[in-house]
Amino acid sequence: MTSQNIKTATDQNFEKEILTSQKPVLVDFWATWCAPCRALAPLIDEVANKYSGKLEVYKMDVDNNQETPAKFGIRGIPTVILFKNGKALDQVVGAVPIDRLEELVRKAL
């Protein structure tokens, strides 16, 4: 992760950090071996920087945290889910363009 605006989500902190957040939260479910995840990473950084203060952005390594992705039915990565008020509002799967990520974010702002 290159952006200081991106935090790390884990099975242990997910409920406290994401589901009880007062701000909308974008969570990138990824893995180190996943090439599309690596392709998406700079775009996630860009969104985190652009919407800093309005949106929280987290990354969750699905290899190290298997409980939470299972709860949300994540079958393919990268999967990006937008949460607002503790609920999954929308999601995208795959390496999508920046405008698709921003479209997702705008739904919660």
Side-chain angles (χ1 to χ4, degrees), residues 9-12 14 29-31 33 60-75 77:
T10 64
D11 286 337
Q12 291 73 35
F14 195 86
F29 293 88
W30 71 290
W33 50 264
M60 175 176 269
D61 184 327
V62 298
D63 287 336
N64 297 329
N65 303 279
Q66 296 179 2
E67 190 178 303
T68 303
K71 280 183 188 171
F72 290 98
I74 300 203
R75 301 201 189 314
I77 53 172

Side-chain angles (χ1 to χ4, degrees), residues 26-40:
L26 196 70
V27 181
D28 176 19
F29 293 88
W30 71 290
T32 55
W33 50 264
C34 168
C37 298
R38 290 193 303 273
L40 188 64

Side-chain angles (χ1 to χ4, degrees), residues 18-86:
I18 286 93
L19 299 183
T20 63
S21 175
Q22 298 301 307
K23 295 179 187 171
V25 183
L26 196 70
V27 181
D28 176 19
F29 293 88
W30 71 290
T32 55
W33 50 264
C34 168
C37 298
R38 290 193 303 273
L40 188 64
L43 304 181
I44 297 291
D45 287 347
E46 197 174 320
V47 167
N49 292 333
K50 182 173 182 176
Y51 294 96
S52 176
K54 298 177 189 169
L55 175 78
E56 298 288 336
V57 178
Y58 285 81
K59 291 179 79 80
M60 175 176 269
D61 184 327
V62 298
D63 287 336
N64 297 329
N65 303 279
Q66 296 179 2
E67 190 178 303
T68 303
K71 280 183 188 171
F72 290 98
I74 300 203
R75 301 201 189 314
I77 53 172
T79 293
V80 179
I81 301 180
L82 176 68
F83 291 89
K84 186 172 183 179
N85 301 322

